[in-house]
Amino acid sequence: NPKNGLCIALYDVIRVGSSLIHPADGGAHFEVVFRVVVFKPFIGEVITGEVSNCTKEGIDVTLNFFTKIKIPYYNIFDPNHFVEGKRGEGKWVWDDHENDVEDNADVPDDTEELAIEKGDLISFAVDSVHFTGKNYSVKGVHTLESTSDAKVGGVVGRKRSQSFDKGKSWEEGNITTDQSSTSTCEMQIIGSVKSDGLGKPEWWEPDEEEEEEEENMDET
């Protein structure tokens, strides 16, 4: 939930209470005290993950234990362009050197392409976090969506309730088993790579000439 984050794993069980049997219920109920590992990123936090897919819509990122991270096309360094590959997959290229040309700077012919593609490790900033809760009743499936983003200072900014007909199949109704849908996954992160220091870490590593200049400045 938005308050505690997404439960990743059970850490340990501290105490198990006595069993209770409720009227008209043959099951035994126990009060259990336990600790869990949760994942709760905050707005603006910088996280490093692996690119799992690149499409025209943006970049998908995985942390292995959590995969519902999307960087939409409008949150990628600008100017940029998408190079389409096989099966709709491709890479996003940051046209950073276009600014150098506009500033009449010398751009070497062997300039490395600043591209992000599947398998790359990238650093991204958390732009917003979406939580989706579900309640099942005889009237259908009731969902409550909560969104935290930078515009509201990390506080839950939007709550929306929707009801779906249980009579419809998962594919025919509004609910889908595709975990890429924000209506079915419990938590989804929207990221951004539009600020300095984000994207591939090697983009921001100083080259040998810059390191030598810094050393000379320190010596003087």
Side-chain angles (χ1 to χ4, degrees), residues 9-172:
L10 175 66
Y11 182 73
D12 61 4
V13 177
I14 299 175
R15 183 178 67 255
V16 179
S18 303
S19 62
L20 299 174
I21 298 178
H22 298 291
D25 186 353
H29 299 262
F30 299 84
E31 181 178 307
V32 181
V33 179
F34 56 92
R35 293 187 293 180
V36 296
V37 178
V38 298
F39 176 50
K40 187 183 179 183
F42 57 85
I43 304 302
E45 180 178 1
V46 176
I47 303 174
T48 299
E50 180 180 346
V51 176
S52 59
N53 194 20
C54 280
T55 65
K56 291 181 178 180
E57 286 72 32
I59 301 171
D60 294 336
V61 182
T62 176
L63 303 178
N64 293 326
F65 68 89
F66 184 75
T67 61
K68 309 306 175 186
I69 304 171
K70 294 187 177 294
I71 302 175
Y73 66 91
Y74 51 82
N75 274 355
I76 300 175
F77 279 114
D78 191 53
N80 61 61
H81 68 276
F82 179 73
V83 179
E84 189 168 357
K86 297 180 180 179
R87 299 179 181 178
E89 297 181 355
K91 60 183 179 181
W92 280 94
V93 180
W94 177 24
D95 303 320
D96 177 59
H97 298 296
E98 289 186 2
N99 295 330
D100 296 333
V101 174
E102 292 177 359
D103 295 337
N104 297 321
D106 294 330
V107 180
D109 296 333
D110 59 348
T111 299
E112 182 180 358
E113 183 181 60
L114 303 181
I116 296 177
E117 54 189 324
K118 185 176 181 179
D120 288 341
L121 288 178
I122 64 170
S123 298
F124 65 91
V126 177
D127 190 61
S128 62
V129 181
H130 305 268
F131 283 93
T132 301
K134 291 182 182 179
N135 291 320
Y136 297 87
S137 66
V138 293
K139 295 182 180 180
V141 181
H142 182 76
T143 66
L144 178 63
E145 297 180 1
S146 301
T147 300
S148 301
D149 56 38
K151 295 181 180 179
V152 291
V155 180
V156 175
R158 175 174 59 88
K159 291 186 178 181
R160 182 176 64 183
S161 299
Q162 296 177 329
S163 295
F164 302 100
D165 186 2
K166 291 177 65 177
K168 295 183 179 181
S169 67
W170 294 108
E171 291 77 18
E172 294 174 354

